[in-house]
Amino acid sequence: MVTLPIWAVYVVSIGSPVLAFLGVLLAQWIMRRGHVELEARSKREEVMRTIRWAAELAVSDDEGRSTLGVAELNALNDSDLLDDSQRLFIDAALENVIHEVAEALTEIESMGRDTEVVEDVSVVIPTPAAGGDL
C-alpha cells in the first residue's frame, strides 16, 4: 500500500478545484473580450450602413428625402456612435450636398431674374391589362 504525505492530500484535494475555477475564469475573460470586439465590429458596420443610406438620401432629387438624409447625417455626426475616421465620411457627404445645392443656385441665378423654376413630377398610373388584374 502506497501512502501519500498529508500535505500532498491537501494540495490535490484543494488545488484541483482551485485550478478548475481559475481555468473557468480565464475562459470567461477570453470569451467576454471576444464578445466586446464582435459587438464593436457590429456597431461599426451598422453605423457605416446608416451613413451610406443617409448620404444617398441627402443627394436625392426629392426634397423630403434629401432633408431627411441631411438631418440623419447631422444626427449621426452629433452622436457618440462615431469615431473621428467615420466623421470624415459624414463631412464629405455633407460637403457634397452643399456643393450640389450651391451649383444649382448658381445655375438658376445665372439664368436671370425672369427665370421660373419648375419641378418636373412624372406620375405613372398602372392600368389594368386586358382582361384582368393590376
Side-chain angles (χ1 to χ4, degrees):
M1 179 161 147
V2 178
T3 60
L4 291 173
I6 196 77
W7 64 268
V9 172
Y10 286 123
V11 167
V12 170
S13 64
I14 295 174
S16 293
V18 169
L19 287 176
F21 179 72
L22 291 177
V24 167
L25 286 179
L26 179 64
Q28 189 69 13
W29 178 75
I30 290 171
M31 293 290 287
R32 175 86 52 187
R33 208 169 115 201
H35 177 69
V36 168
E37 291 173 3
L38 178 65
E39 186 67 27
R41 185 176 64 204
S42 297
K43 182 180 99 174
R44 188 171 43 247
E45 288 173 357
E46 184 62 31
V47 166
M48 289 307 290
R49 274 193 292 272
T50 304
I51 289 172
R52 281 193 296 272
W53 169 76
E56 287 176 11
L57 286 179
V59 295
S60 174
D61 291 335
D62 181 14
E63 184 180 345
R65 292 171 59 94
S66 180
T67 303
L68 174 62
V70 170
E72 184 70 25
L73 286 171
N74 284 324
L76 278 169
N77 202 21
D78 294 339
S79 74
D80 294 334
L81 295 173
L82 303 176
D83 57 10
D84 291 336
S85 64
Q86 292 169 329
R87 290 187 199 284
L88 292 174
F89 291 110
I90 291 180
D91 292 341
L94 289 174
E95 286 176 16
N96 187 27
V97 170
I98 291 170
H99 180 70
E100 283 188 14
V101 169
E103 279 183 355
L105 288 175
T106 302
E107 186 177 330
I108 291 170
E109 289 172 356
S110 70
M111 292 180 183
R113 291 183 167 242
D114 297 336
T115 304
E116 183 179 340
V117 178
V118 178
E119 183 177 352
D120 180 24
V121 179
S122 300
V123 178
V124 176
I125 300 173
T127 58
D133 302 324
L134 287 177

